[in-house]
Amino acid sequence: MFAGLSLRLLAAITGDWTMKPDELFQYLEQAHRIVFGYGQIPWEFRFGERTWLLPMLSVPPLWLCKVLGFDSPEQYAPVVRSFHAAFSMLIPIGMYFFTRRVHSETAARFALVLGCFWHELVIIAPHPVAEASSSAFVFAALAVIMAAKMTTQRVAICGFLLGMAFVLRVQYAPTIGLIGLALLFYADNRGRITLIVAGLLAILIAGLVDYFYWGGFLQTYINYAKVQFSGYTQHTYNASGDFHLHNLFIGSAGLHYVIAGAALFYYRRLWVFIILMLSVQLIHNLVTTKEYVNTFWQFLFYF
């Protein structure tokens, strides 16, 4: 794990590029506005189309830089990227504990190695995009609940983490819902109530953040739903019928089809993984406006 973290920090310190414009203008720039009090304002943050939760993830390292007097991009940018790179290590950790519980120690170690050293995970780690941040919360929840005995405290933490993953990227709702349903099935009555309340707490926080900034509870999510509904009713989404399976093929160097095909031969043991894979892929293939980072995080769940 130390080697995996070192590679991510190396990518954070030496890499100076963005995955997409949103990363710079809608996440980092807005976090800069919170800490330093000035910055550009994109239209999404003028009309309540984006939650402030994603920019807030970059606030702690930026605030530390401000306290230390690091007020130039050359100084604080590597610190912010390093913060997110370290945060992304929750993904391989969660991969290990989840795989160990549902499969075996050998498979778990293999998953850990893949999670630590897969080149795309290393490269994307420093970038504060929604897919990466939400996935980190998902796998953190899996690490908490799978690492040891299911206690009320662990269930509460897991529920909150899953709730945070949802409010950061609502497209992962089917996958997060399936994980939540599985936990509800294995938990006792007290655990079920705890899980639901903890998840709702994360949603409440997102709603209050929207209310504070935009004057409406969960306002950005309501606006997003309206935009999505309008896109479907006007047939502007998936108009080409392209489900981007070729993007997954290219992004995974062909392993997408190899892993999916191999899983079918062992479906009795791997049905949990298969369902999670399908839940992620289906929701992302409903629209054609794909970017590389969207495509890759589908493949992440194939590990």
Side-chain angles (χ1 to χ4, degrees):
M1 289 204 327
F2 177 77
L5 176 60
S6 298
L7 286 175
R8 283 162 169 76
L9 293 177
L10 180 63
I13 295 173
T14 60
D16 188 17
W17 57 281
T18 58
M19 292 293 302
K20 54 184 179 179
D22 290 357
E23 175 188 343
L24 180 60
F25 292 102
Q26 298 191 31
Y27 307 148
L28 294 177
E29 184 74 5
Q30 307 318 306
H32 185 277
R33 285 176 56 204
I34 294 175
V35 176
F36 291 94
Y38 65 94
Q40 297 186 15
I41 307 176
W43 71 268
E44 289 88 347
F45 282 88
R46 294 184 183 274
F47 301 101
E49 291 289 339
R50 290 283 189 179
T51 175
W52 276 96
L53 290 179
L54 271 168
M56 286 179 177
L57 292 179
S58 299
V59 166
L62 270 177
W63 178 83
L64 178 62
C65 288
K66 181 179 180 180
V67 171
L68 297 176
F70 300 158
D71 55 359
S72 67
E74 293 79 8
Q75 293 174 316
Y76 59 67
V79 176
V80 175
R81 291 197 296 264
S82 297
F83 171 81
H84 287 283
F87 183 66
S88 75
M89 283 300 296
L90 293 171
I91 293 176
I93 293 174
M95 291 167 64
Y96 169 80
F97 285 113
F98 178 64
T99 309
R100 188 179 71 172
R101 176 64 65 89
V102 301
H103 201 276
S104 66
E105 177 67 26
T106 301
R109 292 180 180 179
F110 182 67
L112 179 62
V113 172
L114 280 177
C116 285
F117 298 108
W118 185 263
H119 64 286
E120 288 166 310
L121 277 176
V122 173
I123 293 172
I124 296 174
H127 300 272
V129 291
E131 296 83 358
S133 301
S134 179
S135 296
F137 275 103
V138 170
F139 283 94
L142 293 176
V144 169
I145 206 66
M146 298 291 185
K149 182 179 179 181
M150 185 184 294
T151 63
T152 303
Q153 291 78 10
R154 288 182 177 275
V155 170
I157 296 173
C158 183
F160 182 77
L161 292 174
L162 289 176
M164 288 300 300
F166 167 72
V167 295
L168 288 175
R169 183 156 181 80
V170 296
Q171 289 88 339
Y172 284 166
T175 305
I176 295 169
L178 288 172
I179 296 173
L181 287 175
L183 293 175
L184 289 174
F185 178 79
Y186 287 104
D188 56 20
N189 289 333
R190 182 179 181 183
R192 294 187 184 101
I193 296 175
T194 301
L195 182 71
I196 294 173
V197 171
L200 291 176
L201 177 61
I203 297 175
L204 175 64
I205 292 174
L208 292 177
V209 168
D210 275 4
Y211 184 82
F212 177 80
Y213 282 103
W214 307 115
F217 187 76
L218 294 175
Q219 188 63 53
T220 59
Y221 301 91
I222 295 173
N223 292 343
Y224 174 81
K226 291 179 179 178
V227 170
Q228 295 298 311
F229 180 77
S230 174
Y232 284 115
T233 55
Q234 297 177 20
H235 305 289
T236 58
Y237 287 158
N238 204 21
S240 66
D242 183 356
F243 293 107
H244 302 277
L245 294 180
H246 63 283
N247 289 338
L248 278 174
F249 178 82
I250 296 172
S252 65
L255 291 179
H256 162 77
Y257 295 99
V258 174
I259 296 174
L264 295 178
F265 287 97
Y266 303 96
Y267 68 92
R268 292 183 178 178
R269 297 183 62 184
L270 302 178
W271 64 272
V272 174
F273 294 94
I274 294 173
I275 292 176
L276 291 177
M277 288 190 298
L278 291 176
S279 68
V280 176
Q281 184 167 328
L282 287 175
I283 194 65
H284 281 79
N285 283 322
L286 292 177
V287 297
T288 57
T289 53
K290 290 291 184 298
E291 296 160 322
Y292 171 77
V293 68
N294 301 135
T295 301
F296 172 69
W297 287 102
Q298 296 176 59
F299 179 63
L300 170 62
F301 283 86
Y302 279 69
F303 285 143

